[in-house]
């Protein structure tokens, strides 16, 4: 791992470190090296899968590499690797980097829903973000699951809002109904409307109806 650490430090810049520290305030600054994502993606191609057993990692960038390696695993291996990684998740960026390619070739909705029930907030965020990426596979089922996820953590609430804004592309009436009925937690309700209004993909008519429900 000495060679990997040296390669990470060689790819780091002070400018990107300062940028990352502001972007991910929940991460201890001393663990952030400042390696841009393109360099991390390139480095990930040369990292052996045995790296996944080397937990906990010392740096934020190593955690990103961990996510990138999981993304290339077969589905069942990816699920096991994510479960093992959940206790070490401490920021939104590492969570959002997890996007296993194998999940696009099958139905893994039950796994997303199981993650949403995690006692760890970033485990719940992971389940919600995965559901967001696959929402069109079963919008109503996933909306019901996300709606009942434990809220209250800022980055979980933001993921829930992001999810419902994405769901509005496929089932706008179901999302608007939830906003009309006030079935979402208050903080998620407000954030969802904001996300819908900010979206470049949600139709103007849906944005207008959502805005009226603030």
């Amino acid at each position: 791992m000495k060679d990997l650490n040296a390669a990470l430090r060689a790819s780091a810049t002070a400018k990107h470190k300062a940028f990352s520290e502001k972007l991910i305030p929940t991460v201890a600054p001393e663990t952030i090296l400042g390696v841009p994502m393109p360099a991390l993606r390139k480095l990930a191609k040369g990292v052996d899968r045995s790296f996944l057993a080397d937990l906990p990692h010392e740096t934020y960038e190593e955690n990103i590499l961990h996510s990138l390696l999981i993304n290339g695993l077969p589905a069942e291996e990816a699920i096991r690797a994510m479960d093992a990684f959940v206790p070490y998740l401490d920021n939104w960026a590492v969570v959002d980097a997890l996007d296993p390619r194998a999940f696009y070739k099958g139905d893994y909705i039950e796994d997303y829903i199981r993650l949403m029930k995690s006692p760890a907030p970033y485990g719940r965020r992971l389940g919600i973000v995965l559901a967001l990426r696959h929402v069109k596979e079963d919008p109503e089922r996933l909306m019901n699951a996300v709606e009942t996820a434990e809220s209250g953590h800022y980055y979980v609430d933001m993921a829930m809002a992001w999810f419902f804004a994405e769901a509005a592309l496929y089932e706008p009436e179901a999302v608007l109904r939830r906003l009309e009925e006030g079935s979402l937690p208050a903080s998620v309700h407000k954030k969802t409307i904001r996300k819908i209004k900010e979206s470049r993909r949600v139709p103007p008519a849906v944005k207008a109806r959502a805005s009226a429900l603030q």
Side-chain angles (χ1 to χ4, degrees):
M1 293 304 168
K2 289 184 179 179
D3 290 343
L4 176 59
N5 189 271
L8 286 168
R9 292 182 183 279
S11 300
T13 68
K15 181 178 180 181
H16 197 77
K17 175 177 171 60
F19 171 77
S20 297
E21 287 177 5
K22 292 180 180 179
L23 195 65
I24 43 174
T26 61
V27 177
E30 62 271 19
T31 68
I32 300 174
L33 301 177
V35 183
M37 184 58 83
L40 288 170
R41 293 190 185 280
K42 185 175 180 179
L43 286 169
K45 295 177 181 178
V47 178
D48 188 83
R49 288 184 182 180
S50 61
F51 176 75
L52 296 175
D54 188 31
L55 287 167
H57 300 304
E58 294 182 357
T59 66
Y60 159 75
E61 281 81 2
E62 287 174 304
N63 283 324
I64 290 287
L65 285 176
H66 198 110
S67 291
L68 296 177
L69 285 180
I70 289 175
N71 290 346
L73 296 175
E76 297 305 320
E77 288 184 41
I79 290 167
R80 290 194 294 271
M82 285 194 304
D83 286 343
F85 197 26
V86 163
Y88 303 95
L89 297 174
D90 63 0
N91 69 88
W92 68 264
V94 170
V95 169
D96 293 8
L98 283 161
D99 187 16
R101 293 185 286 278
F103 287 1
Y104 292 89
K105 300 176 182 179
D107 180 358
Y108 300 97
I109 289 176
E110 281 301 319
D111 293 289
Y112 315 150
I113 294 174
R114 179 176 55 79
L115 283 164
M116 288 180 214
K117 299 176 182 178
S118 171
Y122 288 104
R124 296 199 298 277
R125 180 179 173 99
L126 174 58
I128 295 165
V129 170
L130 290 171
L132 179 156
R133 295 189 176 119
H134 297 270
V135 63
K136 64 182 179 180
E137 295 170 15
D138 196 337
E140 191 62 31
R141 181 180 173 196
L142 287 170
M143 280 189 281
N144 288 338
V146 173
E147 185 177 2
T148 59
E150 181 183 343
S151 61
H153 185 283
Y154 176 79
Y155 289 102
V156 174
D157 290 0
M158 287 300 294
M160 292 173 74
W162 182 20
F163 169 86
F164 282 109
E166 185 73 12
L169 298 172
Y170 305 98
E171 294 288 346
E173 293 303 325
V175 174
L176 290 168
R177 184 180 71 251
R178 285 170 168 82
L179 294 175
E180 289 169 353
E181 295 174 351
S183 61
L184 303 180
S187 62
V188 176
H189 179 101
K190 293 178 181 178
K191 290 179 175 65
T192 297
I193 293 173
R194 189 178 79 199
K195 287 285 187 183
I196 288 174
K197 290 168 63 177
E198 291 174 350
S199 174
R200 295 182 180 180
R201 300 162 64 207
V202 174
V206 176
K207 290 185 179 185
R209 290 175 62 187
S211 296
L213 297 170
Q214 289 179 329

